[in-house]
Amino acid sequence: MGDAAGAAKQAADKGKDAARTIEGSSAYQWLVKVGLVFYGIVHLLVAVTAVRMALGLRGSDEEASNTGALRSLAETPLGAGLLWVVAAGFFALVVWQAVTALIGFHEFDGFKRVRKRLSAALRTVLYGYLGVAAARIASGPDVEDGEDAQESLSQGLLGLPFGQVLVGIVGLAVLGYAIAQVSKAFRTSFHDELDTTLTGAKLRLTQAGFVGKGIAIGIVGALFLWAALDADAQKAGGLDKALQQVLQQPLGMWLLLALALGIGAYGIYCFFWARHPKHA
């Protein structure tokens, strides 16, 4: 038992050493910046589509989602070549957050460190999804629409034993993530991800970005809960469907425009983040 524990510790130490070596690579750090810049651009494109939706100008093939934004990039003159750069940037973000999950936030103790490392681990999944989506769009075959993907997930879960409970758990998890984003705005804990401190207009813009993104994601979580309560997968949806729900409310156009500004503000925050990413 002691030999096994020693071998496990040795393997963990080697993994941490490898992670620190990666962190010190200038090429890797450059790719992280590229990934964060394009993550910001994706949010800005989503915001523009949301504004067009609010004003009744959106085209039939436009989708206010991450994959919709990637398709918009594919339609630019640089097309597939640009998307391969985007994919490389997102995969660099996967490595960055994986390293952070392994050895990051060492300045914190106990549960706070564990919580932040778990958040980094979850971001590896998000960036990995975006990287794969960018690569698939660049190579030709399109990825499933965001709305279809959410319905497929709900439909698959509803087909399992205790399916409504599982969909409800997904909804609560998404809602929890949304609340965490809004909480970051008021606690300014996003500074834990930066190697600098934002002040003045940059700080207020960043806070608005986290609030706007949190509210939008919260509506997605609410749609999953609605699907769970009614056992109807078609009621689940991604960001595009969430924004459509906002538009259908009283003063929906103005609410949607406010959310679009918030999502756009988060995109601008990503540019600040790209200049000052905190490495483990």
Side-chain angles (χ1 to χ4, degrees):
M1 184 69 71
D3 291 342
K9 184 178 184 304
Q10 187 176 17
D13 289 341
K14 287 183 178 179
K16 290 180 180 179
D17 289 342
R20 291 188 179 95
T21 299
I22 293 171
E23 286 278 330
S25 167
S26 58
Y28 156 80
Q29 292 181 8
W30 182 81
L31 278 174
V32 166
K33 291 179 181 292
V34 170
L36 288 173
V37 166
F38 278 108
Y39 193 47
I41 291 173
V42 163
H43 280 82
L44 290 175
L45 289 173
V46 171
V48 169
T49 303
V51 169
R52 289 173 56 80
M53 182 192 302
L55 300 178
L57 302 174
R58 183 173 72 155
S60 59
D61 60 341
E62 290 183 273
E63 183 184 333
S65 68
N66 291 332
T67 51
L70 292 175
R71 291 189 188 95
S72 296
L73 289 175
E75 294 170 359
T76 63
L78 296 177
L82 178 61
L83 278 179
W84 283 118
V85 175
V86 173
F90 282 137
F91 289 137
L93 295 183
V94 169
V95 176
W96 177 40
Q97 290 303 302
V99 169
T100 301
L102 180 64
I103 62 174
F105 301 112
H106 47 76
E107 68 272 28
F108 300 114
D109 295 320
F111 177 73
K112 187 172 184 179
R113 180 192 294 174
V114 172
R115 176 169 57 81
K116 287 188 171 294
R117 286 183 174 180
L118 284 174
S119 295
L122 290 174
R123 283 195 290 268
T124 64
V125 177
L126 170 62
Y127 297 144
Y129 168 78
L130 291 174
V132 170
R136 289 184 61 185
I137 294 173
S139 61
D142 207 351
V143 295
E144 188 175 21
D145 287 348
E147 303 310 305
D148 293 340
Q150 306 302 330
E151 288 186 20
S152 297
L153 174 61
S154 298
Q155 189 66 56
L157 291 176
L158 287 173
L160 299 173
F162 305 104
Q164 284 179 264
V165 174
L166 294 175
V167 174
I169 290 172
V170 171
L172 289 173
V174 174
L175 201 57
Y177 177 74
I179 292 171
Q181 298 303 293
V182 176
S183 176
K184 272 188 175 184
F186 292 103
R187 294 187 295 113
T188 66
S189 57
F190 45 79
H191 283 128
D192 295 339
E193 302 165 354
L194 304 170
D195 65 4
T196 188
T197 300
L198 302 177
T199 59
K202 291 181 180 179
L203 174 62
R204 301 305 173 208
L205 187 71
T206 296
Q207 289 178 305
F210 274 94
V211 170
K213 183 175 180 180
I215 292 173
I217 293 173
I219 298 170
V220 174
L223 290 174
F224 270 98
L225 291 175
W226 188 20
L229 289 173
D230 288 359
D232 185 354
Q234 291 186 353
K235 290 182 177 177
L239 184 57
D240 189 83
K241 189 168 185 177
L243 297 179
Q244 289 181 42
Q245 291 293 322
V246 171
L247 186 58
Q248 294 171 13
Q249 305 309 309
L251 301 177
M253 182 186 77
W254 298 107
L255 292 173
L256 183 53
L257 287 173
L259 271 183
L261 290 175
I263 294 170
Y266 184 87
I268 295 173
Y269 160 72
C270 290
F271 300 151
F272 302 152
W273 198 6
R275 290 188 64 186
H276 302 282
K278 181 179 179 180
H279 294 282

